């Protein structure tokens, strides 16, 4: 093995799991219905379309705040509750058997787990993320799965630091693999890790806007990881 890496840290949604293709349409519909039920002043189709076009235009923006600012809320409704209803409906939900890994992800993990220490660090509602991991049956590929819940103030930076504490070694022996230039790339580079940006999913068009967000490697799909990073 010629690789310099000892430890590879994967993101889940839109990196290994085809979240945008399989889960986002239903989650976005449920978020729109929840916001309308809480008082958003529009109909479900208009909300759904505006959500998609806002994310296409402004991937770094807060889509829930935007929908409330754009459509307003019915008399007596609380704008903050409407925002919260959308966020919760999108992130905290039951996922069904439709979850699936991207092509090649399963065999990639099975190959890499024999050569490297693998971690999965996934951000979102813990119960929902645990359900995804269980349905995919991938937990056994990882030394540990770390759940990061931003609503409880947890961050990927803390999780990455914890991994470094547990594993030891030079920062350059860690590789972070993920689909977002902010949470998966910049956070890892802040610690001196190498990074690989997988340009899939709803945020594939969100470009690096400062040096820390510029990845060391870039691949169009997860199945290209081994060849690109010489793993
Ligand atoms: Mg992701």
């Amino acid at each position: 093995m010629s690789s310099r890496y000892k430890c590879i840290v994967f993101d889940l949604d839109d990196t290994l799991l085809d979240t945008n293709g399989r889960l986002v349409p239903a989650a976005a519909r449920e978020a729109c219905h929840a916001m309308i039920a809480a008082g958003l002043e529009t109909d479900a189709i208009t909300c759904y379309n505006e959500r998609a076009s806002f994310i296409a235009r402004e991937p770094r923006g807060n889509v829930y705040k935007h929908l409330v600012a754009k459509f307003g809320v019915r008399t007596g409704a609380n704008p903050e509750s409407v925002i919260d209803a959308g966020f919760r409906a999108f992130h905290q939900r039951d996922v069904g058997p439709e979850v699936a890994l991207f092509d090649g992800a399963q065999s990639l993990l099975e190959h890499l787990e024999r050569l490297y220490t693998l971690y999965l660090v996934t951000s979102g509602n813990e119960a929902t993320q645990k359900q995804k991991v269980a349905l995919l049956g991938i937990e056994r590929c990882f030394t540990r799965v770390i759940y990061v819940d931003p609503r409880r103030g947890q961050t990927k930076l803390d999780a990455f630091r914890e991994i470094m504490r547990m594993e030891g070694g030079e920062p350059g022996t860690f590789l972070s693999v993920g689909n977002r230039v902010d949470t998966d790339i910049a956070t890892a580079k802040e610690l001196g890790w190498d990074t690989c940006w997988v340009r899939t999913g709803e945020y594939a068009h969100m470009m690096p806007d400062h040096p820390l967000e510029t990845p060391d490697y870039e691949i169009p799909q997860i199945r290209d990881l081994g060849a690109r990073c010489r793993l």
Side-chain angles (χ1 to χ4, degrees):
M1 186 178 76
S2 59
S3 171
R4 59 188 286 204
Y5 304 115
K6 285 187 184 153
C7 183
I8 307 175
V9 180
F10 286 89
D11 167 60
L12 179 64
D13 285 297
D14 281 331
T15 296
L16 293 169
L17 162 62
D18 182 9
T19 308
N20 192 38
R22 293 182 176 257
L23 298 175
V24 167
R29 270 196 305 276
E30 289 166 24
C32 287
H33 283 296
M35 292 182 83
I36 291 164
L40 188 70
E41 187 86 278
T42 188
D43 63 87
I45 291 169
T46 309
C47 176
Y48 187 91
N49 291 337
E50 182 60 27
R51 180 194 172 278
S53 81
F54 178 77
I55 291 173
R57 281 195 316 273
E58 288 186 49
R60 291 170 195 270
N62 182 321
V63 69
Y64 307 101
K65 278 188 185 164
H66 166 76
L67 292 169
V68 165
K70 169 130 186 138
F71 297 119
V73 300
R74 292 193 296 274
T75 311
N78 175 354
E80 285 304 319
S81 305
V82 177
I83 290 167
D84 197 52
F87 185 92
R88 269 190 292 112
F90 187 84
H91 290 278
Q92 188 179 322
R93 55 190 299 274
D94 273 327
V95 294
E98 71 274 18
V99 294
L101 295 173
F102 284 113
D103 282 351
Q106 184 76 43
S107 55
L108 175 76
L109 291 175
E110 282 165 10
H111 171 69
L112 294 178
E113 72 159 323
R114 294 196 294 263
L115 304 171
Y116 303 92
T117 304
L118 307 186
Y119 283 84
L120 184 67
V121 178
T122 180
S123 175
N125 176 264
E126 187 167 336
T128 303
Q129 297 310 100
K130 279 187 168 164
Q131 200 184 19
K132 291 175 186 174
V133 170
L135 284 163
L136 293 167
I138 52 172
E139 191 157 12
R140 64 190 164 77
C141 297
F142 300 97
T143 294
R144 209 174 131 194
V145 179
I146 301 179
Y147 297 93
V148 170
D149 192 339
R151 298 216 112 188
R152 293 189 197 152
Q154 298 164 347
T155 66
K156 282 206 169 184
L157 183 62
D158 295 331
F160 289 178
R161 282 202 177 112
E162 194 183 337
I163 291 169
M164 281 186 88
R165 265 199 307 274
M166 290 187 289
E167 295 297 324
E170 292 303 309
T173 61
F174 292 80
L175 175 67
S176 170
V177 180
N179 71 299
R180 286 190 63 130
V181 294
D182 50 359
T183 51
D184 302 321
I185 305 303
T187 303
K189 287 191 75 89
E190 211 176 314
L191 298 173
W193 293 12
D194 267 14
T195 53
C196 183
W197 183 25
V198 193
R199 292 195 66 182
T200 39
E202 207 169 21
Y203 293 90
H205 64 296
M206 188 168 109
M207 300 302 290
D209 78 352
H210 57 89
L212 279 180
E213 287 190 349
T214 305
D216 302 282
Y217 305 99
E218 182 183 321
I219 51 177
Q221 318 164 82
I222 192 66
R223 65 169 176 238
D224 303 316
L225 181 71
R228 184 73 186 88
C229 298
R230 290 192 228 112
L231 298 176

